[in-house]
Amino acid sequence: AQRVTQPEKLLSVFKGAPVELKCNYSYSGSPELFWYVQYSRQRLQLLLRHISRESIKGFTADLNKGETSFHLKKPFAQEEDSAMYYCALSSGGTSYGKLTFGQGTILTVHP
Amino acid sequence: DADVTQTPRNRITKTGKRIMLECSQTKGHDRMYWYRQDPGLGLRLIYYSFDVKDINKGEISDGYSVSRQAQAKFSLSLESAIPNQTALYFCATSDLGGLGYNEQFFGPGTRLTVL
C-alpha cells in the first residue's frame, strides 16, 4: 500500500531563514509526487509537481528515490509562506490520478 | 476557484440524522473526489469517481455513500451521522492529464459538526 509521511505537524521559522518541509513516501512503482498548499481562507491548491522540476514562489522539491523523499525547500522564508502544506502521491494503474496525502505540516513564518 | 462549489458551507446536525453534502463543478472534469480533513490526520479520501458510471471507495468509506448524478455533480451522504464524522469535507475534481501532470482542484470545504 502506498503511504505518505510528513513527520512535522508544526514548523516555525523566522523570516529570511531557510525552511525545509519533509516528506517521505512508500510506493512500489514509479512515484509521482506533488506539494499542495492551503493559505488562510483560501482553497487547497497545487504548489508544485516533481515532474516539472520547477521553482514556484521560491520553493523547490527534489525527488530522491534512494531515500524515498520529496522534501520541500526554500532558502529564505517569507511571512506569506505561512500555510498548511501537504505532500501527495499519485496512484498508478487503474486508479491513476488518485492522490494519497500526508498528514500535513503547518508552517509559520515569524517576522 | 469558483469552478468547484460545495453546499452547504457549514452544517450542524445531530447524531442519527441523514446529511447530504453536495459538490458541483463547471470545469468539465470527469473525475471527482470527496475527502475529509482532520487535524493531525491530513486529507483522507472517502470516495472517488472517474466518470459518471464509475464509483470507488477510498480509504475511509465506512459510514458514507455517494451519488454521481451527472458529470458535474457528486454528492456525499451520511446515512446516520455520528460525532466522529465531525470534520471539514472537501470535494475535488481533476482531468486525466498527462503523466505526472494530474492536478486536483478543490472546493472551499464544508464544515460539518455532528452533536
Side-chain angles (χ1 to χ4, degrees):
Chain A
Q2 60 192 65
R3 180 175 294 176
V4 176
T5 302
Q6 294 177 248
E8 304 136 329
K9 288 186 180 180
L10 302 171
L11 185 61
S12 291
V13 300
F14 286 99
K15 178 182 175 181
V19 62
E20 181 180 54
L21 290 82
K22 296 189 186 319
C23 173
N24 290 94
Y25 67 90
S26 173
Y27 186 59
S28 58
S30 183
E32 294 180 15
L33 286 149
F34 307 83
W35 277 98
Y36 280 76
V37 61
Q38 188 174 25
Y39 300 104
S40 179
R41 291 184 291 279
Q42 293 187 29
R43 300 184 184 205
L44 190 62
Q45 59 188 283
L46 178 67
L47 179 63
L48 57 77
R49 45 173 72 93
H50 90 270
I51 199 167
S52 299
R53 301 183 66 80
E54 58 201 343
S55 174
I56 303 293
K57 299 184 178 183
F59 284 98
T60 58
D62 291 321
L63 177 60
N64 185 323
K65 292 185 178 181
E67 296 183 358
T68 60
S69 69
F70 187 57
H71 303 328
L72 184 67
K73 300 177 184 179
K74 185 169 183 177
F76 306 103
Q78 302 299 314
E79 291 179 68
E80 56 265 30
D81 296 328
S82 295
M84 168 74 89
Y85 291 81
Y86 285 104
C87 182
L89 171 68
S90 178
S91 297
T94 56
S95 59
Y96 177 71
K98 180 169 76 73
L99 294 176
T100 298
F101 285 85
Q103 301 92 329
T105 297
I106 298 173
L107 172 66
T108 303
V109 181
H110 300 283
Chain B
D1 188 339
D3 293 340
V4 184
T5 58
Q6 293 182 232
T7 55
R9 294 293 311 279
N10 288 283
R11 182 71 184 267
I12 300 174
T13 191
K14 294 182 178 180
T15 297
K17 294 291 188 180
R18 183 179 188 274
I19 295 296
M20 178 180 285
L21 309 183
E22 299 187 346
C23 177
S24 295
Q25 53 111 348
T26 59
K27 300 187 78 67
H29 290 166
D30 284 328
R31 299 173 165 214
M32 298 187 74
Y33 311 82
W34 275 106
Y35 296 91
R36 64 178 280 175
Q37 183 184 49
D38 298 276
L41 297 177
L43 280 168
R44 293 180 293 165
L45 183 64
I46 306 172
Y47 271 95
Y48 63 103
S49 171
F50 281 176
D51 66 43
V52 175
K53 295 181 180 180
D54 176 76
I55 302 289
N56 303 281
K57 293 182 178 181
E59 59 182 304
I60 54 162
S61 59
D62 287 349
Y64 302 94
S65 63
V66 291
S67 174
R68 184 81 185 266
Q69 300 96 323
Q71 184 201 42
K73 296 186 182 296
F74 193 36
S75 300
L76 177 71
S77 293
L78 288 68
E79 296 301 326
S80 180
I82 56 177
N84 76 1
Q85 292 178 311
T86 293
L88 187 56
Y89 290 83
F90 287 102
C91 173
T93 75
S94 72
D95 210 342
L96 179 57
L99 196 65
Y101 285 91
N102 289 284
E103 177 179 357
Q104 292 190 12
F105 296 86
F106 285 80
T110 294
R111 187 167 296 281
L112 176 65
T113 302
V114 183
L115 301 176

